[in-house]
Amino acid sequence: MPTPPRVGACWGSIFAGTFIAVGAWLLLHLLGMGIGLTAIQPHEPGSLRSVGIGTGVWTLIAPILALFVGGLAVGKLARPLDRAGGVIHGAVLWALATVASITLLWMALTAIIGGAVSAGASVASATAGSAVAAVSGGAGAELTPESLGLSTDDLLAPVNRRLQSEGKPAITGDQLMGAARNALRTSVREGRFDRQLAVNALAENTALSPAEAADIADRLGRGYDARMQAFADTARTRALEAAEGTGKALLGLSLAMVLGLGAAVGGALVSVVLHRRQLARASRRTYERIE
């Protein structure tokens, strides 16, 4: 007489199938990574791209195979099951295996990030002095009219024509930068261009008239604002690109989870169907012997 289907979940088989699925996933993942890394040709940089594509595809296939094997184990150990019971046991296996895999992945990432932070802290402590010196002393020197999209010759051309007509020596670009350096350094530190500081520095340290100093300061300020706006636009674009990439990754992860659910349920159903066929063949043989 056929055994009636099981009522309720068989947690022992579910946990056993989960361990089998997670273990199989780790084995397949490590196997794929090992094969992929050994396939890299040191003297052919192009091989890295193909290996990366292959590794990515295998990263998607491995958990599907592992969950299918786990579903087969659940269906085998939790007998007897009907189709609905097989679907439920496979779905519970998928949920537990997914949570366990994400937990293991999170623990691994936490350990890696923690090691990187510790290493970075030691490097940062060793280079803190030079970094501070670079920011405070070198940043202002790197911020030049040319870096702001301005030409020193264009800035000084009207001034030098006036000075030449008055029989006075012309102002060089180095003199202009020497007078404006403090204002540019202050702009780097505070994140804004101090126009009044630039006007005062130019008027006091060069032969510029107050009006000429104000004009040059305004042009430097517009160049600084344009450069900061370009930086902001670039940062915003990169942030949006990162958000788009994250969205695509989440969609890919969602698809992988759906495929994994199908694999786990399919494995359990295959096991149920095979068990039913075995029971049917056994019943036929028993009936034939009786006759």
Side-chain angles (χ1 to χ4, degrees):
M1 181 178 182
T3 305
R6 176 185 295 276
V7 178
C10 180
W11 288 103
S13 64
I14 291 175
F15 284 121
T18 300
F19 281 113
I20 291 173
V22 174
W25 173 73
L26 291 175
L27 175 62
L28 293 173
H29 184 70
L30 292 176
L31 179 63
M33 292 294 293
I35 294 176
L37 292 176
T38 55
I40 295 176
Q41 302 295 328
H43 303 293
E44 296 181 9
S47 64
L48 185 61
R49 176 178 175 81
S50 58
V51 169
I53 295 174
T55 302
V57 173
W58 180 250
T59 301
L60 177 64
I61 295 175
I64 295 175
L65 295 176
L67 286 168
F68 183 79
V69 172
L72 286 175
V74 167
K76 181 74 174 179
L77 297 174
R79 291 175 178 174
L81 291 174
D82 56 11
R83 292 181 183 274
V87 171
I88 294 173
H89 279 69
V92 175
L93 160 72
W94 164 81
L96 289 178
T98 300
V99 172
S101 300
I102 292 177
T103 302
L104 291 175
L105 180 61
W106 177 256
M107 293 173 61
L109 289 176
T110 302
I112 293 173
I113 293 174
V117 169
S118 299
S122 61
V123 174
S125 62
T127 60
S130 59
V132 171
V135 171
S136 61
E142 293 176 359
L143 193 60
T144 63
E146 285 73 14
S147 67
L148 301 180
L150 302 173
S151 171
T152 304
D153 294 336
D154 292 340
L155 289 174
L156 295 176
V159 178
N160 286 332
R161 283 197 297 268
R162 177 184 63 81
L163 294 175
Q164 186 178 16
S165 65
E166 296 175 358
K168 298 179 181 180
I171 299 176
T172 64
D174 292 339
Q175 291 173 333
L176 176 65
M177 281 305 305
R181 183 173 290 114
N182 186 37
L184 294 176
R185 287 179 176 175
T186 303
S187 300
V188 172
R189 289 195 300 268
E190 299 181 358
R192 64 179 184 86
F193 184 77
D194 193 330
R195 177 184 180 279
Q196 190 58 47
L197 179 61
V199 171
N200 294 338
L202 292 171
E204 292 173 0
N205 299 295
T206 65
L208 293 171
S209 66
E212 291 169 339
D215 178 66
I216 291 179
D218 287 338
R219 296 174 68 178
L220 289 174
R222 289 193 295 270
Y224 178 85
D225 292 340
R227 186 185 186 194
M228 293 302 103
Q229 184 62 44
F231 285 161
D233 293 341
T234 301
R236 182 166 53 251
T237 300
R238 291 179 178 176
L240 293 175
E241 290 175 350
E244 181 186 15
T246 302
K248 292 180 179 179
L250 291 176
L251 289 176
L253 179 60
S254 300
L255 176 61
M257 292 179 67
V258 171
L259 293 176
L261 173 60
V265 171
L269 288 178
V270 168
S271 184
V272 170
V273 171
L274 292 177
H275 178 59
R276 285 190 170 188
R277 290 181 178 177
Q278 290 175 357
L279 290 178
R281 286 196 294 268
S283 298
R284 284 197 299 270
R285 286 196 295 268
T286 302
Y287 180 76
E288 290 172 355
R289 284 197 298 268
I290 293 175
E291 289 185 343

